[in-house]
Amino acid sequence: MGRRYPYDILLAGIGIGGPHNTTLATVELLKKARIAFNLSVHDAYVRTVCRRVIDLDEEYYSGEEDYTVYRRLARRVMNEAGRGGGVAVIDDGHPLIFDDVNTMIVRHGKRRGLRVTVLPAVSSLDVVLAQSHWNLGAGSQIVEATHLVRYRQRLNPAFDTLVMQLGWFGVSQLVRIEPTTRERFRPLQQYLLRFYPPPHRVRVLRASQSPRDKGVALSCRLDRLVHQYRRIETDSTLLVPALE
């Protein structure tokens, strides 16, 4: 009789900012993993916890269309779980916040009869709240940058707006994005100007990945957002405060 595992698939988050923002429950379950597929930037730490680690970095940044990559990785994880439990997928922050690979695993894994467990760590949302003193109690709306413009989603300027995945705006191929031109972000800036006046001040935020990394927190006028393109990295977020 084969070994029994407490899960078929574990979707685990390493805390934004580093291992110290990861829960003890997550570490304990990762120690029991038969195999771990790693998408976290904290590869060295993951290897101190898990016995067998497969780094998916090169497979993820393949240059293909994003959903092609997402589907292939999700199938690989579920097929591995079909051969036996104890399969972990490790990412940063909350495994289900703007993570299509893990979302596919949850949706299709349960249809296959697989036991899927989700254990989040400190997420990007948690860090933004702490870093910007953003108050959710006043009302808020959260959108994804590319979808916002592509589907012409309407914003209510009376609420604070968090625009996630700012650094991936307008990108459908999964490649390591080098500093581009300001023109890549101009459609987003122009769309936001439909709801907010040009002098409205916005904040570009990037959480620190380690205690030595100070992250980014800069403020600028909305109509000057494109000029910050050199400081917008793939894990940047845009906070647009409500109009007073």
Side-chain angles (χ1 to χ4, degrees):
M1 185 174 179
R3 178 178 175 181
R4 293 184 61 85
Y5 293 91
Y7 51 83
D8 292 322
I9 300 176
L10 170 67
L11 305 179
I14 302 297
I16 299 295
H20 61 285
N21 285 332
T22 306
T23 68
L24 294 175
T26 297
V27 174
E28 287 304 310
L29 283 187
L30 284 177
K31 289 179 179 178
K32 299 175 182 178
R34 173 174 62 85
I35 182 172
F37 293 100
N38 183 48
L39 286 166
S40 168
V41 298
H42 300 286
D43 180 73
Y45 171 70
V46 169
R47 293 181 183 278
T48 67
V49 178
C50 302
R51 291 169 292 178
R52 182 186 175 195
V53 179
I54 296 178
D55 187 4
L56 295 179
D57 194 68
E58 293 299 324
E59 292 186 48
Y60 187 87
Y61 292 105
S62 65
E64 299 171 277
E65 287 282 345
D66 45 17
Y67 275 95
T68 298
V69 176
Y70 300 156
R71 286 193 294 266
R72 182 170 62 246
L73 293 182
R75 282 197 301 268
R76 180 176 181 183
V77 171
M78 291 185 289
N79 289 341
E80 181 63 42
R83 289 188 282 268
V87 179
V89 182
I90 306 171
D91 209 337
D92 295 308
H94 195 302
L96 298 182
I97 293 182
F98 292 105
D99 191 311
D100 291 283
V101 175
N102 288 332
T103 300
M104 290 178 182
I105 291 172
V106 169
R107 182 184 305 121
H108 299 293
K110 290 183 178 179
R111 292 177 184 173
R112 294 191 184 193
L114 299 171
R115 296 169 298 157
V116 181
T117 298
V118 181
L119 284 181
V122 169
S123 72
S124 56
L125 290 178
D126 297 318
V127 176
V128 167
L129 284 168
Q131 190 173 345
S132 64
H133 301 150
W134 180 32
N135 182 9
L136 282 173
S140 62
Q141 51 198 347
I142 301 175
V143 296
E144 196 272 343
T146 301
H147 281 73
L148 171 67
V149 178
R150 178 182 296 171
Y151 299 114
R152 294 296 187 262
Q153 296 171 338
R154 293 194 61 80
L155 297 175
N156 186 340
F159 293 132
D160 291 334
T161 302
L162 198 64
V163 183
M164 306 290 289
Q165 296 193 306
L166 173 64
W168 286 105
F169 177 74
V171 176
S172 61
Q173 274 79 29
L174 291 176
V175 295
R176 298 189 183 281
I177 301 175
E178 300 296 332
T180 57
T181 67
R182 66 191 66 181
E183 294 306 312
R184 181 159 73 88
F185 298 100
R186 194 171 298 280
L188 174 62
Q189 175 180 287
Q190 292 303 113
Y191 189 73
L192 290 172
L193 285 170
R194 294 176 57 180
F195 305 95
Y196 304 91
H200 190 60
R201 298 201 70 81
V202 298
R203 300 184 68 185
V204 176
L205 305 171
R206 186 184 68 79
S208 61
Q209 295 184 356
S210 68
R212 294 183 179 181
D213 178 12
K214 295 182 180 180
V216 172
L218 63 91
S219 174
C220 68
R221 288 169 49 117
L222 177 56
D223 61 352
R224 302 288 294 176
L225 176 62
V226 297
H227 297 282
Q228 304 297 332
Y229 73 96
R230 294 184 185 276
R231 301 188 67 183
I232 297 177
E233 301 182 44
T234 54
D235 53 352
S236 296
T237 299
L238 181 67
L239 176 60
V240 185
L243 294 179
E244 295 183 358

